[in-house]
Amino acid sequence: MSVLLLRLAAPLQSWGTSSRFTRRTTDRAPSKSGIIGLLAAAAGRRRTDSIEDLATLRFGVRLDQPGHVERDFHTARPIDGSAPLPLSYRFYLADAVFLAVVEGEEQFLTTLHEALRRPVFPLYLGRRSCPPSGPLTLGVRNQTLEDALAGTPWQASPRIQQKHRAATVTLDTAVDAPLGEQAQDVSYLVQDEPVTFAPEHRQHAWRTVIAGQVTLPNPDYMPTSAVGDHDPMALFGAS
Amino acid sequence: MTRTIVDIHVLQTVPPSNINRDDTGSPKTATYGGTRRARVSSQAWKRATRDAFTAMVETAKLGVRTKRVVELLAETIATRSPAHAERSAVLAKTTLEAAGIKLKEPRKKNGEPPLEESAYLLFLSRAQLVSLAALAITAAKEAGDAAVVVDKKEAKARADQAHSIDIALFGRMVADNTDLNVDAAAQVAHALSVHEAATEYDYYTAVDDHKRDDPEEDAGAGMIGTVEFTSSTLYRYATVDVDRLNDNLGDPAATREAVETFVRAFVTSMPTGKQNTFANRTLPDAVLVLVRETQSINLIGAFEDAITDRDNGSRITAAVGRLADHGREVHEAYDEQPVAGWSVGVGERTAELGELGQRTTLDTLITSLGDTVADRVQATL
């Protein structure tokens, strides 16, 4: 099995899976429908085109820098001065970085990697006003989804890595449950498995997710060696 | 396949102001790189950009975004065929419904009963309105005194051709007839300050002039209040996918004009919030426009670590330096080479952007960009 790795970073991202009407929420992690939509846009598929091949990719995500939720208040008014539209609240994830991984057949993933490098449609992280900061794709690797999540270096910004004063860091993950997984191993369900993006009848199926954690080395960790040798009691001649 | 993508980067200092506020009246903010930044939403700046279009291109090339489409089409019908003026409202309604646009009774107001409205804001180009009006007039003539029948296929086709440049750039969503949707070719990011920005409070008193002149009265203020404001140097970013724009417009000459108009309007416009209170109109300190053929690249990463007093020189010098360095580093790391680039800046302190894009003036930048875009669109035909 091969994987395609994506680094999702931007000042603002928004991944809604249950937004309705004037309250446009965001989940704490990228949704599968959002990522499949991103890949489809890069490959130049129209909303009505089939996404069956994309939806069969196994999906997992790692919360490298969880960020936090910001609320945005939004008004809209027609240009002719007629009655204003309903007020709405939009929620964004600010200052977050994620590693998103899709697992599938190598040849197919390589075409998707190329498409992300030269996308046909403009790409964004959940909402059009959230263009990614820095290139998205980290390339295709020959490994499993689980190995990619456990083995890819920590993608948080250098500032966060330096502030983290430990040799390792533990990050949350959420991955698609493999087919036929025992029900008790499934952590939760989320309705973000895209069936079709066709605007007349957009459909999402329920997806079974296993929540987990991985522990990675912190590349910015610098052990302060002096601490172990210092003995304040030595002055008193005690031993 | 040749691709053409135009990235626009702007550094702009805005003095004490409150150009975009939330429901409590505070200037909008967002955390980035661990520090609180001033923010101007993408929607606010898109609106300002679109408003600026009206001064730059003929109205005929722009769209109207309104719920009162029946009224608008009826007026167009009445102007073009005064003989049908009396029936214009009915004709307009029939034609719009034939195009698949759902109409409903608006909320009652005082006076005469108002015309039907669309359920949501509908974006129609002037050319589409004229074309739909012509269809309605023809149908009315054919029908004579009988009930007017408008060909559905034709009505739908006319609502989906000749998009205005603002529809092509910003998109259109028609909830109950998705065939009429247009995907936006331009993307605008939320503007963020390049430094940590605090919100400040201005306490004010307002004098009651008439009371002050009355010797019997005390000298107290007629009203007191506070206004919140912030002051910031913003990084603004927008990108235009020229190929998608050309798909939407279907005409290379219109595409060129749309790109030129968008760049000028985005660079020189400003949302109008509390404009009269703060007179905060400024022009950007520096503008960088890059034409790419692979992906669009947002350079906000240059400011993930907020600029502080420890950075050398003024805030603008530091911001320009960061933008130039980050742009160069990203280009090197990912073997990205822009096809063309131009920069515009105020004073020597913005000269460093000349490394990424040839230094020039805004007018020359826009003309050269227009030439490049026209050549490249022509090459794909």
Side-chain angles (χ1 to χ4, degrees):
Chain A
M1 272 298 168
S2 294
V3 286
L4 169 65
L5 306 174
L6 307 176
R7 180 179 189 266
L8 310 170
L12 297 172
Q13 328 189 10
S14 190
W15 306 98
T17 55
S18 57
S19 292
R20 294 288 181 274
F21 312 113
T22 59
R23 198 179 160 82
R24 317 304 296 184
T25 52
T26 177
D27 293 1
R28 299 303 302 249
S31 61
K32 185 169 187 180
S33 55
I35 299 302
I36 299 298
L38 182 88
L39 296 173
R45 301 212 192 165
R46 318 292 314 194
R47 286 180 220 275
T48 44
D49 291 349
S50 162
I51 47 160
E52 246 172 81
D53 51 345
L54 289 167
T56 56
L57 297 170
R58 231 180 115 221
F59 172 70
V61 61
R62 195 176 76 192
L63 283 62
D64 283 32
Q65 183 179 322
H68 62 263
V69 176
E70 299 255 9
R71 192 192 71 163
D72 185 45
F73 172 68
H74 186 96
T75 63
R77 185 170 49 86
I79 211 154
D80 64 0
S82 57
L85 275 98
L87 306 177
S88 62
Y89 293 97
R90 282 142 211 255
F91 294 78
Y92 295 90
L93 270 181
D95 225 0
V97 180
F98 302 103
L99 175 73
V101 184
V102 289
E103 185 188 67
E105 196 249 317
E106 184 176 2
Q107 188 71 39
F108 183 40
L109 294 181
T110 308
T111 19
L112 291 176
H113 164 75
E114 286 306 320
L116 285 167
R117 296 261 294 141
R118 307 171 77 90
V120 177
F121 293 110
L123 304 179
Y124 45 86
L125 305 185
R127 217 175 259 152
R128 208 181 282 269
S129 61
C130 307
S133 160
L136 278 171
T137 172
L138 299 176
V140 177
R141 307 267 168 79
N142 205 341
Q143 56 188 167
T144 65
L145 179 57
E146 280 76 9
D147 289 347
L149 290 176
T152 309
W154 193 21
Q155 298 293 318
S157 72
R159 177 183 52 84
I160 296 283
Q161 299 189 353
Q162 282 154 19
K163 256 171 78 178
H164 187 77
R165 295 185 189 280
T168 58
V169 59
T170 300
L171 304 171
D172 289 333
T173 59
V175 299
D176 280 359
L179 279 179
E181 190 76 13
Q182 292 293 315
Q184 62 263 34
D185 292 335
V186 170
S187 310
Y188 57 90
L189 293 166
V190 54
Q191 194 178 9
D192 71 344
E193 178 88 41
V195 178
T196 167
F197 289 125
E200 307 81 29
H201 50 92
R202 197 183 292 193
Q203 269 180 57
H204 295 101
W206 290 93
R207 179 167 71 98
T208 47
V209 179
I210 299 177
Q213 284 190 326
V214 291
T215 301
L216 300 172
N218 176 12
D220 266 307
Y221 176 65
M222 295 237 253
T224 40
S225 56
V227 173
D229 301 336
H230 179 58
D231 180 6
M233 299 310 280
L235 269 179
F236 300 102
S239 59
Chain B
M1 186 183 63
T2 344
R3 291 279 280 118
T4 308
I5 289 155
V6 179
D7 280 346
I8 308 148
H9 313 270
V10 175
L11 289 169
Q12 181 162 9
T13 303
V14 186
S17 58
N18 190 352
I19 52 181
N20 187 213
R21 54 192 187 265
D22 69 12
D23 43 351
T24 64
S26 309
K28 286 186 176 179
T29 61
T31 308
Y32 183 50
T35 50
R36 186 121 301 248
R37 315 292 182 99
R39 172 172 68 94
V40 181
S41 75
S42 62
Q43 297 91 350
W45 223 300
K46 274 194 284 189
R47 170 81 181 206
T49 305
R50 199 159 73 79
D51 283 346
F53 282 0
T54 49
M56 294 178 187
V57 287
E58 301 152 51
T59 325
K61 288 180 181 163
L62 294 175
V64 199
R65 196 179 183 206
T66 179
K67 289 163 104 175
R68 286 148 68 171
V69 277
V70 178
E71 185 183 326
L72 205 59
L73 184 58
E75 278 168 16
T76 317
I77 294 170
T79 330
R80 298 180 67 83
S81 172
H84 293 98
E86 245 171 64
R87 298 172 67 191
S88 65
V90 181
L91 286 175
K93 186 179 172 228
T94 318
T95 313
L96 288 167
E97 282 175 344
I101 295 156
K102 285 212 179 83
L103 301 172
K104 61 166 196 182
E105 292 282 336
R107 270 180 273 174
K108 288 272 180 283
K109 284 185 200 141
N110 297 334
E112 52 187 296
L115 293 170
E116 280 97 342
E117 290 183 348
S118 52
Y120 39 80
L121 284 176
L122 188 69
F123 213 156
L124 280 174
S125 77
R126 308 267 175 192
Q128 285 164 355
L129 277 171
V130 168
S131 166
L132 286 169
L135 179 68
I137 293 163
T138 318
K141 278 180 185 156
E142 274 169 14
D145 290 332
V148 179
V149 185
V150 178
D151 181 18
K152 282 188 181 170
K153 214 169 150 192
E154 183 62 23
K156 201 176 264 191
R158 287 183 186 219
D160 202 24
Q161 284 161 2
H163 295 302
S164 63
I165 63 172
D166 43 357
I167 292 179
L169 282 162
F170 298 127
R172 176 168 79 183
M173 205 186 119
V174 182
D176 41 48
N177 193 341
T178 48
D179 291 351
L180 300 180
N181 283 357
V182 179
D183 270 312
Q187 237 178 313
V188 176
H190 293 246
L192 288 183
S193 66
V194 300
H195 52 90
E196 183 165 17
T199 299
E200 297 177 69
Y201 299 83
D202 181 34
Y203 168 79
Y204 68 86
T205 63
V207 175
D208 183 325
D209 290 339
H210 186 62
K211 189 178 108 180
R212 191 185 53 179
D213 293 341
D214 185 345
E216 301 284 295
E217 281 283 359
D218 63 66
M223 160 182 193
I224 57 169
T226 51
V227 187
E228 288 183 55
F229 66 94
T230 188
S231 126
S232 54
T233 297
L234 299 170
Y235 170 74
R236 306 204 276 122
Y237 170 77
T239 175
V240 181
D241 188 328
V242 176
D243 301 271
R244 299 289 78 78
L245 185 62
N246 196 49
D247 290 347
N248 287 350
L249 288 167
D251 172 26
T255 303
R256 175 188 181 144
E257 189 179 7
V259 171
E260 291 182 341
T261 312
F262 179 78
V263 172
R264 187 182 293 280
F266 180 70
V267 167
T268 57
S269 64
M270 180 172 281
T272 52
K274 291 234 173 240
Q275 180 80 261
N276 292 348
T277 311
F278 291 102
N280 49 260
R281 279 303 300 247
T282 55
L283 284 170
D285 300 282
V287 179
L288 175 67
V289 174
L290 298 174
V291 179
R292 302 186 185 279
E293 52 187 8
T294 49
Q295 51 193 331
S296 48
I297 300 179
N298 180 353
L299 296 177
I300 184 72
F303 310 109
E304 184 168 356
D305 289 326
I307 289 179
T308 64
D309 295 342
R310 288 190 297 278
D311 286 87
N312 291 329
S314 72
R315 196 178 267 168
I316 277 298
T317 317
V320 165
R322 292 266 198 104
L323 188 60
D325 289 348
H326 186 67
R328 205 171 36 234
E329 285 162 15
V330 169
H331 289 171
E332 271 168 24
Y334 293 92
D335 309 307
E336 273 285 340
Q337 210 35 253
V339 182
W342 302 270
S343 64
V344 172
V346 182
E348 262 320 292
R349 58 190 184 161
T350 62
E352 209 180 329
L353 285 183
E355 292 172 23
L356 288 177
Q358 188 191 339
R359 201 166 154 87
T360 176
T361 64
L362 185 62
D363 277 342
T364 325
L365 180 156
I366 288 170
T367 317
S368 315
L369 172 66
D371 289 342
T372 308
V373 162
D375 287 350
R376 294 181 66 86
V377 171
Q378 207 60 47
T380 59
L381 294 182

